[in-house]
Amino acid sequence: MRIPFLLSIAIAAIAIAARGALGESGNFNITEELATNPKYSDFNTVLSKSGLADTINAMNSLTVCVLTNSQMATLRSTLSHADSSDPKKVAALVRPMILLTFIDPTNPNTARSIRGSQQVASLYQAAGAASTDQGIANLTTTRKGSLQIVAAGGSNATITKSVKLIAYNLSIVEVSNPLLPTGVLGSDQNAPVVSVVPSPPPVKAPAKSPPSAAEDSSSTPDESDDQADKTPIKSAAARASRLGLVAWPLLLLLAARKL
């Protein structure tokens, strides 16, 4: 069901906006964590120059799927020559790989807890750049027990390595290849990192149904009481009337006998 996931996206968006307004940050710095490994330098540069690093640092409980420099070259090749050198254009393709949930691939219980598949939302969805639910992926397990992320349209990537874990706050994992859900290449690459989640439309009161025959015949409490009071009177009068019709012939008969 999607509703729980749309709610988690809304909560994540509100949390990011609130932290940004208060000038607060998470318990980590993504650029510092990635700086210790040079094979992620291109990925780290895109995060820093596009502003995604600041967004990630303001969040809690998320998973960042990082790409090596060679994988980043593959990702850039999906863009035009001009766009491939624009950090914001490249960052738009990175957003689907920032998942709004903490995934610990080193914990055997993570794979065991997944029955079939488990939906996870991405920053691509929270940014409002995705069409409908294209920014929601499925976390599954392979036959060998590895964790696999399947995006909309069938694009998938396997988690090959745990790079860094900060318990329940940040999980950095290396994946086998870029994750490109349907529509990401044609999405608004200048969309804000996180958009304001619109309020749900007001709930309209249900239209009153026409009164039934039973309701038409019903009255107000006072009227009902009056009717209840008058009913015995009418019944008594009717009985008296009926008795009168029987009594008069008997009286005439008795009078004739006396004569």
Coordinates of all heavy atoms in Angstrom, one line a residue, residues 75-169:
L75 N 27.3 7.2 -15.7 CA 26.1 8.0 -15.4 C 26.1 9.3 -16.2 O 25.1 9.7 -16.8 CB 26.0 8.3 -13.9 CG 24.8 9.0 -13.4 CD1 23.5 8.1 -13.5 CD2 24.9 9.5 -12.0
R76 N 27.3 9.9 -16.3 CA 27.4 11.2 -17.0 C 27.1 11.0 -18.5 O 26.6 11.9 -19.2 CB 28.8 11.8 -16.8 CG 29.0 12.4 -15.4 CD 30.4 12.9 -15.3 NE 30.8 13.4 -14.0 CZ 30.5 14.6 -13.5 NH1 30.0 15.5 -14.3 NH2 30.9 14.9 -12.3
S77 N 27.4 9.8 -19.0 CA 27.3 9.5 -20.4 C 25.8 9.5 -20.9 O 25.5 9.5 -22.1 CB 28.0 8.2 -20.8 OG 27.3 7.1 -20.2
T78 N 24.9 9.4 -19.9 CA 23.5 9.4 -20.3 C 23.0 10.8 -20.5 O 21.9 11.0 -21.0 CB 22.6 8.8 -19.1 OG1 22.8 9.5 -17.9 CG2 23.1 7.3 -18.9
L79 N 23.8 11.8 -20.2 CA 23.4 13.2 -20.4 C 24.2 13.8 -21.6 O 25.1 13.2 -22.2 CB 23.8 14.0 -19.2 CG 23.1 13.7 -17.9 CD1 23.7 14.4 -16.7 CD2 21.6 13.9 -17.9
S80 N 23.7 14.9 -22.1 CA 24.4 15.6 -23.2 C 25.8 16.0 -22.7 O 26.1 16.1 -21.5 CB 23.6 16.8 -23.7 OG 23.6 17.8 -22.6
H81 N 26.7 16.4 -23.6 CA 28.0 16.8 -23.2 C 28.0 18.0 -22.3 O 28.7 18.1 -21.3 CB 28.8 17.2 -24.5 CG 30.2 17.6 -24.2 ND1 31.2 16.8 -23.7 CD2 30.8 18.9 -24.2 CE1 32.3 17.5 -23.5 NE2 32.1 18.7 -23.8
A82 N 27.1 19.0 -22.6 CA 27.0 20.2 -21.7 C 26.5 19.9 -20.3 O 27.0 20.3 -19.3 CB 26.2 21.2 -22.4
D83 N 25.4 19.0 -20.3 CA 24.8 18.7 -19.0 C 25.6 17.8 -18.2 O 25.6 17.8 -16.9 CB 23.4 18.0 -19.3 CG 22.4 19.0 -19.8 OD1 22.6 20.2 -19.7 OD2 21.3 18.5 -20.3
S84 N 26.5 17.0 -18.8 CA 27.3 16.1 -18.1 C 28.3 16.7 -17.2 O 28.8 16.1 -16.2 CB 28.0 15.1 -19.0 OG 28.9 15.8 -19.8
S85 N 28.6 18.0 -17.5 CA 29.6 18.8 -16.6 C 28.9 19.7 -15.7 O 29.5 20.4 -14.9 CB 30.5 19.6 -17.5 OG 29.8 20.5 -18.4
D86 N 27.6 19.7 -15.6 CA 26.8 20.5 -14.7 C 26.4 19.7 -13.5 O 25.7 18.7 -13.6 CB 25.5 21.0 -15.4 CG 24.7 21.9 -14.6 OD1 24.9 22.0 -13.3 OD2 23.9 22.7 -15.1
P87 N 27.0 20.0 -12.3 CA 26.7 19.2 -11.1 C 25.3 19.0 -10.8 O 24.9 18.0 -10.3 CB 27.5 20.0 -10.0 CG 28.5 20.8 -10.7 CD 27.9 21.1 -12.0
K88 N 24.5 20.1 -11.0 CA 23.0 20.0 -10.7 C 22.3 19.0 -11.6 O 21.4 18.3 -11.2 CB 22.4 21.3 -10.7 CG 22.8 22.2 -9.6 CD 22.0 23.5 -9.5 CE 22.4 24.4 -8.3 NZ 21.6 25.6 -8.3
K89 N 22.7 19.0 -12.9 CA 22.1 18.0 -13.8 C 22.5 16.6 -13.5 O 21.7 15.7 -13.5 CB 22.6 18.3 -15.3 CG 22.3 19.7 -15.8 CD 20.8 19.9 -16.0 CE 20.6 21.2 -16.7 NZ 19.1 21.5 -16.9
V90 N 23.7 16.4 -13.1 CA 24.2 15.1 -12.7 C 23.5 14.7 -11.3 O 23.1 13.5 -11.2 CB 25.7 15.0 -12.5 CG1 26.2 13.6 -12.1 CG2 26.4 15.4 -13.9
A91 N 23.4 15.6 -10.4 CA 22.8 15.3 -9.1 C 21.3 14.9 -9.3 O 20.8 14.1 -8.5 CB 22.8 16.6 -8.3
A92 N 20.7 15.4 -10.3 CA 19.3 14.9 -10.6 C 19.2 13.4 -10.8 O 18.2 12.8 -10.5 CB 18.7 15.7 -11.8
L93 N 20.3 12.9 -11.4 CA 20.3 11.4 -11.6 C 20.8 10.7 -10.4 O 20.7 9.4 -10.3 CB 21.3 11.1 -12.8 CG 21.0 11.8 -14.1 CD1 21.9 11.3 -15.2 CD2 19.5 11.7 -14.5
V94 N 21.3 11.4 -9.4 CA 21.8 10.8 -8.1 C 20.7 10.6 -7.1 O 20.7 9.7 -6.3 CB 23.0 11.6 -7.6 CG1 23.3 11.1 -6.1 CG2 24.2 11.5 -8.5
R95 N 19.7 11.5 -7.2 CA 18.6 11.5 -6.2 C 17.9 10.2 -6.1 O 17.5 9.8 -4.9 CB 17.6 12.6 -6.6 CG 18.1 14.0 -6.2 CD 17.1 15.1 -6.5 NE 16.7 15.2 -7.9 CZ 16.1 16.3 -8.4 NH1 15.9 17.3 -7.7 NH2 15.8 16.3 -9.7
P96 N 17.7 9.4 -7.1 CA 17.0 8.1 -6.9 C 17.8 7.1 -6.1 O 17.3 6.1 -5.6 CB 16.9 7.6 -8.4 CG 16.9 8.8 -9.3 CD 17.9 9.7 -8.6
M97 N 19.1 7.4 -5.9 CA 20.0 6.5 -5.2 C 20.2 7.0 -3.7 O 21.0 6.4 -3.0 CB 21.4 6.4 -5.9 CG 21.2 5.6 -7.2 SD 22.8 5.5 -8.1 CE 22.9 7.1 -8.8
I98 N 19.4 8.0 -3.3 CA 19.4 8.4 -1.9 C 18.1 8.0 -1.4 O 17.0 8.5 -1.7 CB 19.6 9.9 -1.8 CG1 20.9 10.4 -2.4 CG2 19.5 10.4 -0.3 CD1 21.1 11.9 -2.5
L99 N 18.1 6.9 -0.6 CA 16.9 6.3 -0.1 C 16.5 6.8 1.3 O 17.4 6.9 2.2 CB 17.1 4.7 -0.1 CG 17.6 4.1 -1.4 CD1 17.8 2.6 -1.2 CD2 16.6 4.4 -2.5
L100 N 15.3 7.0 1.5 CA 14.8 7.6 2.8 C 14.5 6.6 3.9 O 13.5 6.6 4.5 CB 13.6 8.5 2.5 CG 13.7 9.5 1.5 CD1 12.5 10.4 1.3 CD2 15.0 10.4 1.7
T101 N 15.4 5.6 4.0 CA 15.4 4.6 5.0 C 16.7 4.1 5.3 O 17.6 4.1 4.4 CB 14.4 3.5 4.6 OG1 14.2 2.6 5.7 CG2 15.0 2.7 3.5
F102 N 17.0 3.6 6.5 CA 18.3 3.1 6.9 C 18.3 1.6 6.6 O 17.5 0.8 7.0 CB 18.5 3.3 8.4 CG 19.8 2.8 8.9 CD1 21.0 3.6 8.8 CD2 19.9 1.5 9.5 CE1 22.2 3.1 9.3 CE2 21.1 1.0 10.0 CZ 22.3 1.8 9.9
I103 N 19.3 1.2 5.7 CA 19.5 -0.2 5.3 C 20.9 -0.6 5.8 O 21.9 0.0 5.4 CB 19.4 -0.3 3.8 CG1 18.0 0.2 3.3 CG2 19.6 -1.8 3.4 CD1 17.9 0.2 1.8
D104 N 20.9 -1.7 6.6 CA 22.2 -2.2 7.1 C 22.4 -3.6 6.4 O 21.9 -4.6 6.8 CB 22.1 -2.4 8.6 CG 23.4 -3.0 9.1 OD1 24.4 -3.1 8.4 OD2 23.5 -3.3 10.4
P105 N 23.2 -3.6 5.3 CA 23.5 -4.9 4.6 C 24.3 -5.8 5.4 O 24.4 -7.0 5.0 CB 24.2 -4.4 3.3 CG 24.8 -3.1 3.7 CD 23.9 -2.5 4.7
T106 N 25.0 -5.4 6.4 CA 25.9 -6.3 7.2 C 25.1 -7.1 8.2 O 25.6 -8.0 8.8 CB 27.0 -5.5 8.0 OG1 26.3 -4.6 8.9 CG2 27.7 -4.6 7.0
N107 N 23.8 -6.7 8.5 CA 23.0 -7.4 9.4 C 22.2 -8.5 8.7 O 21.4 -8.2 7.8 CB 22.1 -6.4 10.1 CG 21.3 -7.0 11.3 OD1 21.2 -8.3 11.4 ND2 20.8 -6.2 12.1
P108 N 22.4 -9.7 9.0 CA 21.7 -10.8 8.4 C 20.1 -10.7 8.5 O 19.4 -11.1 7.6 CB 22.2 -12.1 9.1 CG 23.5 -11.7 9.7 CD 23.3 -10.3 10.0
N109 N 19.7 -10.0 9.6 CA 18.3 -9.9 9.8 C 17.6 -9.0 8.7 O 16.4 -9.0 8.5 CB 18.0 -9.4 11.2 CG 18.3 -10.4 12.2 OD1 18.2 -11.6 12.0 ND2 18.8 -9.9 13.4
T110 N 18.5 -8.1 8.1 CA 17.9 -7.2 7.1 C 17.3 -8.0 5.9 O 16.2 -7.7 5.5 CB 19.0 -6.2 6.6 OG1 19.5 -5.5 7.7 CG2 18.4 -5.3 5.6
A111 N 18.1 -8.9 5.4 CA 17.6 -9.7 4.3 C 16.5 -10.7 4.8 O 15.5 -10.9 4.0 CB 18.7 -10.5 3.7
R112 N 16.6 -11.2 6.0 CA 15.6 -12.1 6.5 C 14.2 -11.4 6.7 O 13.2 -12.0 6.6 CB 16.0 -12.7 7.8 CG 17.2 -13.7 7.7 CD 17.7 -14.0 9.1 NE 19.0 -14.8 9.0 CZ 19.7 -15.0 10.0 NH1 19.4 -14.6 11.2 NH2 20.9 -15.7 9.9
S113 N 14.3 -10.1 7.0 CA 13.0 -9.4 7.3 C 12.3 -9.0 6.0 O 11.1 -8.6 6.1 CB 13.3 -8.1 8.1 OG 14.1 -7.2 7.3
I114 N 12.9 -9.2 4.9 CA 12.3 -8.8 3.6 C 11.5 -10.0 3.1 O 12.1 -11.1 2.8 CB 13.3 -8.3 2.6 CG1 14.0 -7.1 3.1 CG2 12.6 -8.0 1.2 CD1 15.1 -6.6 2.2
R115 N 10.2 -9.9 3.0 CA 9.4 -11.0 2.5 C 8.9 -10.6 1.1 O 8.0 -9.9 1.0 CB 8.3 -11.3 3.4 CG 8.7 -11.8 4.8 CD 7.6 -12.0 5.7 NE 8.0 -12.5 7.0 CZ 7.2 -12.8 8.1 NH1 5.9 -12.6 7.9 NH2 7.7 -13.1 9.2
G116 N 9.6 -11.2 0.1 CA 9.2 -10.8 -1.3 C 9.9 -9.5 -1.6 O 11.0 -9.5 -2.3
S117 N 9.4 -8.4 -1.2 CA 10.0 -7.1 -1.5 C 9.5 -6.0 -0.5 O 8.4 -6.3 0.2 CB 9.7 -6.6 -2.9 OG 8.3 -6.3 -3.1
Q118 N 10.2 -5.0 -0.3 CA 9.8 -3.9 0.6 C 10.0 -2.6 -0.1 O 11.1 -2.3 -0.7 CB 10.7 -4.0 1.9 CG 10.4 -2.9 2.9 CD 11.3 -3.0 4.1 OE1 11.7 -4.1 4.5 NE2 11.7 -1.9 4.6
Q119 N 9.0 -1.8 -0.1 CA 9.1 -0.5 -0.8 C 9.9 0.5 0.0 O 9.8 0.6 1.2 CB 7.7 0.1 -1.0 CG 6.9 -0.7 -2.1 CD 5.6 0.0 -2.4 OE1 4.9 0.6 -1.5 NE2 5.2 0.0 -3.7
V120 N 10.7 1.3 -0.7 CA 11.5 2.3 -0.1 C 11.4 3.6 -1.0 O 11.5 3.5 -2.2 CB 13.0 1.9 0.0 CG1 13.1 0.9 1.1 CG2 13.6 1.4 -1.3
A121 N 11.2 4.7 -0.4 CA 11.1 6.0 -1.1 C 12.5 6.6 -1.3 O 13.4 6.3 -0.5 CB 10.2 6.9 -0.4
S122 N 12.7 7.4 -2.3 CA 14.0 8.0 -2.6 C 13.8 9.5 -2.5 O 12.7 10.1 -2.5 CB 14.5 7.6 -3.9 OG 13.7 8.2 -5.0
L123 N 14.9 10.2 -2.5 CA 14.9 11.7 -2.6 C 14.4 12.2 -3.9 O 13.8 13.3 -4.0 CB 16.3 12.2 -2.4 CG 16.5 13.7 -2.0 CD1 15.7 14.0 -0.7 CD2 17.9 14.1 -1.8
Y124 N 14.5 11.4 -4.9 CA 13.9 11.7 -6.2 C 12.4 11.8 -6.1 O 11.8 12.7 -6.7 CB 14.2 10.6 -7.2 CG 13.6 10.6 -8.6 CD1 13.5 11.8 -9.3 CD2 13.0 9.5 -9.1 CE1 12.9 11.8 -10.6 CE2 12.4 9.5 -10.4 CZ 12.4 10.7 -11.1 OH 11.8 10.7 -12.3
Q125 N 11.8 11.0 -5.3 CA 10.3 11.1 -5.0 C 10.0 12.3 -4.2 O 9.1 13.0 -4.5 CB 9.8 9.8 -4.4 CG 8.3 9.7 -4.1 CD 7.5 9.4 -5.4 OE1 8.1 8.9 -6.3 NE2 6.3 9.8 -5.4
A126 N 10.8 12.5 -3.1 CA 10.5 13.6 -2.2 C 10.7 14.9 -2.8 O 10.1 15.9 -2.4 CB 11.4 13.4 -1.0
A127 N 11.6 15.0 -3.8 CA 11.9 16.3 -4.5 C 10.7 16.7 -5.4 O 10.7 17.9 -5.8 CB 13.1 16.2 -5.4
G128 N 9.8 15.8 -5.6 CA 8.6 16.2 -6.5 C 9.0 16.1 -8.0 O 8.2 16.5 -8.8
A129 N 10.1 15.6 -8.3 CA 10.5 15.5 -9.7 C 10.0 14.2 -10.4 O 9.9 14.1 -11.6 CB 12.1 15.5 -9.8
A130 N 9.6 13.2 -9.5 CA 9.1 11.9 -10.1 C 7.7 12.1 -10.4 O 6.9 12.8 -9.9 CB 9.3 10.8 -9.0
S131 N 7.3 11.3 -11.5 CA 5.9 11.3 -11.9 C 5.2 10.1 -11.1 O 5.7 9.0 -11.1 CB 5.8 11.0 -13.4 OG 4.5 10.8 -13.8
T132 N 4.2 10.4 -10.4 CA 3.4 9.5 -9.6 C 4.4 8.8 -8.6 O 5.0 9.5 -7.8 CB 2.7 8.4 -10.4 OG1 3.6 7.7 -11.2 CG2 1.7 9.1 -11.3
D133 N 4.6 7.5 -8.7 CA 5.5 6.8 -7.7 C 6.8 6.3 -8.3 O 7.3 5.3 -7.9 CB 4.7 5.7 -7.1 CG 4.2 4.7 -8.1 OD1 4.4 4.9 -9.3 OD2 3.7 3.6 -7.7
Q134 N 7.3 7.0 -9.4 CA 8.5 6.5 -10.0 C 9.7 6.6 -9.1 O 10.8 6.0 -9.4 CB 8.7 7.3 -11.3 CG 7.7 6.9 -12.4 CD 7.9 7.7 -13.7 OE1 8.6 8.7 -13.7 NE2 7.2 7.4 -14.7
G135 N 9.6 7.4 -8.1 CA 10.7 7.5 -7.1 C 10.7 6.6 -6.0 O 11.5 6.7 -5.0
I136 N 9.8 5.6 -6.1 CA 9.7 4.6 -5.0 C 10.2 3.3 -5.6 O 9.8 2.8 -6.6 CB 8.2 4.4 -4.5 CG1 7.7 5.7 -3.9 CG2 8.1 3.2 -3.6 CD1 6.3 5.6 -3.5
A137 N 11.2 2.7 -4.9 CA 11.9 1.5 -5.4 C 11.4 0.3 -4.5 O 10.8 0.5 -3.4 CB 13.4 1.6 -5.4
N138 N 11.8 -0.9 -4.9 CA 11.5 -2.1 -4.2 C 12.9 -2.7 -3.7 O 13.8 -2.9 -4.5 CB 10.8 -3.1 -5.0 CG 9.3 -2.7 -5.2 OD1 8.6 -2.4 -4.2 ND2 8.8 -2.7 -6.4
L139 N 13.0 -3.0 -2.5 CA 14.2 -3.7 -1.9 C 13.9 -5.2 -1.9 O 12.9 -5.6 -1.2 CB 14.5 -3.1 -0.5 CG 15.7 -3.7 0.1 CD1 17.0 -3.3 -0.6 CD2 15.8 -3.2 1.6
T140 N 14.7 -5.9 -2.6 CA 14.5 -7.4 -2.6 C 15.8 -8.1 -2.3 O 16.8 -7.5 -2.1 CB 14.0 -7.8 -4.0 OG1 15.1 -7.6 -5.0 CG2 12.8 -7.1 -4.4
T141 N 15.7 -9.4 -2.3 CA 16.9 -10.2 -2.1 C 17.2 -11.1 -3.3 O 16.2 -11.6 -3.9 CB 16.8 -11.1 -0.8 OG1 15.6 -11.9 -0.9 CG2 16.8 -10.2 0.4
T142 N 18.4 -11.3 -3.7 CA 18.7 -12.2 -4.8 C 18.8 -13.7 -4.2 O 18.7 -13.9 -3.0 CB 20.1 -11.8 -5.4 OG1 21.1 -12.0 -4.4 CG2 20.1 -10.4 -5.8
R143 N 19.0 -14.6 -5.1 CA 19.1 -16.0 -4.7 C 20.3 -16.3 -3.8 O 20.3 -17.2 -3.0 CB 19.1 -16.9 -6.0 CG 17.9 -16.9 -6.8 CD 18.0 -17.9 -8.0 NE 16.7 -17.9 -8.7 CZ 16.5 -18.7 -9.8 NH1 17.6 -19.4 -10.3 NH2 15.4 -18.7 -10.4
K144 N 21.3 -15.4 -4.0 CA 22.5 -15.6 -3.2 C 22.4 -14.8 -1.9 O 23.3 -14.8 -1.1 CB 23.7 -15.1 -4.0 CG 24.1 -15.9 -5.2 CD 25.3 -15.4 -5.9 CE 25.7 -16.2 -7.1 NZ 26.9 -15.7 -7.8
G145 N 21.3 -14.2 -1.7 CA 21.1 -13.5 -0.4 C 21.5 -12.0 -0.4 O 21.4 -11.4 0.6
S146 N 22.0 -11.5 -1.5 CA 22.3 -10.1 -1.6 C 21.1 -9.2 -1.7 O 20.0 -9.6 -2.1 CB 23.2 -9.8 -2.8 OG 24.4 -10.6 -2.8
L147 N 21.3 -8.0 -1.2 CA 20.2 -7.0 -1.3 C 20.2 -6.3 -2.7 O 21.2 -5.9 -3.1 CB 20.3 -6.0 -0.2 CG 20.2 -6.5 1.2 CD1 20.5 -5.4 2.2 CD2 18.8 -7.1 1.5
Q148 N 19.0 -6.2 -3.3 CA 18.9 -5.6 -4.6 C 17.8 -4.5 -4.5 O 16.8 -4.7 -3.9 CB 18.6 -6.7 -5.6 CG 18.6 -6.2 -7.1 CD 18.3 -7.3 -8.1 OE1 17.3 -7.9 -8.0 NE2 19.3 -7.5 -8.9
I149 N 18.1 -3.4 -5.2 CA 17.2 -2.3 -5.3 C 16.6 -2.3 -6.7 O 17.4 -2.2 -7.7 CB 17.9 -1.0 -5.0 CG1 18.5 -1.0 -3.6 CG2 16.8 0.2 -5.0 CD1 19.5 0.1 -3.4
V150 N 15.3 -2.4 -6.8 CA 14.7 -2.4 -8.2 C 13.8 -1.1 -8.3 O 12.9 -0.9 -7.5 CB 13.8 -3.6 -8.3 CG1 13.1 -3.6 -9.7 CG2 14.6 -4.9 -8.1
A151 N 14.2 -0.3 -9.2 CA 13.5 1.0 -9.5 C 12.3 0.8 -10.4 O 12.2 -0.2 -11.1 CB 14.5 2.0 -10.0
A152 N 11.5 1.8 -10.6 CA 10.4 1.8 -11.5 C 11.0 1.6 -12.9 O 11.9 2.2 -13.3 CB 9.7 3.1 -11.4
G153 N 10.3 0.7 -13.7 CA 10.8 0.4 -15.0 C 11.7 -0.7 -15.1 O 12.1 -1.2 -16.2
G154 N 12.2 -1.3 -13.9 CA 13.0 -2.5 -13.9 C 14.5 -2.2 -13.8 O 15.2 -3.2 -13.6
S155 N 14.9 -1.0 -13.8 CA 16.3 -0.7 -13.5 C 16.7 -1.2 -12.1 O 16.0 -0.9 -11.2 CB 16.6 0.8 -13.7 OG 18.0 1.1 -13.3
N156 N 17.8 -1.9 -12.0 CA 18.1 -2.5 -10.7 C 19.6 -2.4 -10.4 O 20.4 -2.3 -11.3 CB 17.6 -3.9 -10.5 CG 18.2 -4.8 -11.5 OD1 19.4 -5.3 -11.3 ND2 17.6 -5.1 -12.6
A157 N 19.9 -2.4 -9.1 CA 21.3 -2.3 -8.7 C 21.4 -3.2 -7.4 O 20.5 -3.2 -6.6 CB 21.7 -0.9 -8.4
T158 N 22.5 -3.9 -7.3 CA 22.8 -4.8 -6.2 C 23.7 -4.1 -5.2 O 24.7 -3.4 -5.6 CB 23.4 -6.1 -6.6 OG1 22.5 -6.8 -7.5 CG2 23.6 -7.0 -5.4
I159 N 23.4 -4.1 -3.9 CA 24.3 -3.6 -2.9 C 25.5 -4.5 -2.8 O 25.4 -5.7 -2.4 CB 23.6 -3.4 -1.6 CG1 22.5 -2.4 -1.7 CG2 24.6 -3.0 -0.5 CD1 21.6 -2.2 -0.4
T160 N 26.7 -4.0 -3.2 CA 27.9 -4.9 -3.2 C 28.8 -4.7 -2.0 O 29.6 -5.6 -1.7 CB 28.7 -4.6 -4.5 OG1 29.0 -3.2 -4.5 CG2 27.9 -4.9 -5.7
K161 N 28.6 -3.6 -1.3 CA 29.5 -3.3 -0.2 C 28.9 -2.3 0.8 O 28.3 -1.4 0.4 CB 30.8 -2.8 -0.8 CG 31.9 -2.5 0.3 CD 33.1 -1.9 -0.5 CE 34.2 -1.5 0.5 NZ 35.4 -1.0 -0.2
S162 N 29.2 -2.5 2.1 CA 28.8 -1.5 3.0 C 30.1 -0.6 3.3 O 31.1 -1.1 3.6 CB 28.4 -2.1 4.4 OG 28.2 -1.1 5.4
V163 N 29.9 0.7 3.0 CA 31.0 1.6 3.1 C 31.1 2.2 4.4 O 32.2 2.3 5.0 CB 30.9 2.7 2.0 CG1 32.1 3.7 2.1 CG2 30.9 2.1 0.6
K164 N 30.0 2.6 5.0 CA 30.0 3.3 6.3 C 28.6 3.2 6.9 O 27.6 3.3 6.3 CB 30.3 4.8 6.1 CG 30.3 5.6 7.4 CD 31.5 5.3 8.3 CE 31.6 6.2 9.5 NZ 32.8 6.0 10.3
L165 N 28.6 2.9 8.2 CA 27.4 2.8 9.0 C 27.5 3.7 10.2 O 28.4 3.6 11.0 CB 27.1 1.4 9.4 CG 26.7 0.3 8.4 CD1 26.6 -1.1 9.0 CD2 25.3 0.7 7.9
I166 N 26.5 4.6 10.4 CA 26.3 5.3 11.6 C 25.0 4.9 12.1 O 23.9 5.4 11.5 CB 26.4 6.9 11.4 CG1 27.8 7.2 10.8 CG2 26.2 7.6 12.6 CD1 28.0 8.7 10.5
A167 N 24.9 4.1 13.1 CA 23.8 3.4 13.5 C 22.5 4.2 13.4 O 22.3 5.2 14.1 CB 23.9 2.8 14.9
Y168 N 21.6 3.7 12.6 CA 20.2 4.2 12.4 C 20.1 5.6 11.9 O 19.0 6.1 11.8 CB 19.4 4.0 13.7 CG 19.5 2.6 14.3 CD1 20.2 2.4 15.5 CD2 18.9 1.5 13.6 CE1 20.3 1.1 16.0 CE2 19.0 0.2 14.1 CZ 19.7 0.0 15.3 OH 19.8 -1.3 15.8
N169 N 21.2 6.2 11.5 CA 21.2 7.5 11.0 C 21.6 7.5 9.5 O 20.9 8.0 8.7 CB 22.1 8.5 11.8 CG 21.5 9.0 13.0 OD1 20.3 9.1 13.1 ND2 22.3 9.2 14.0

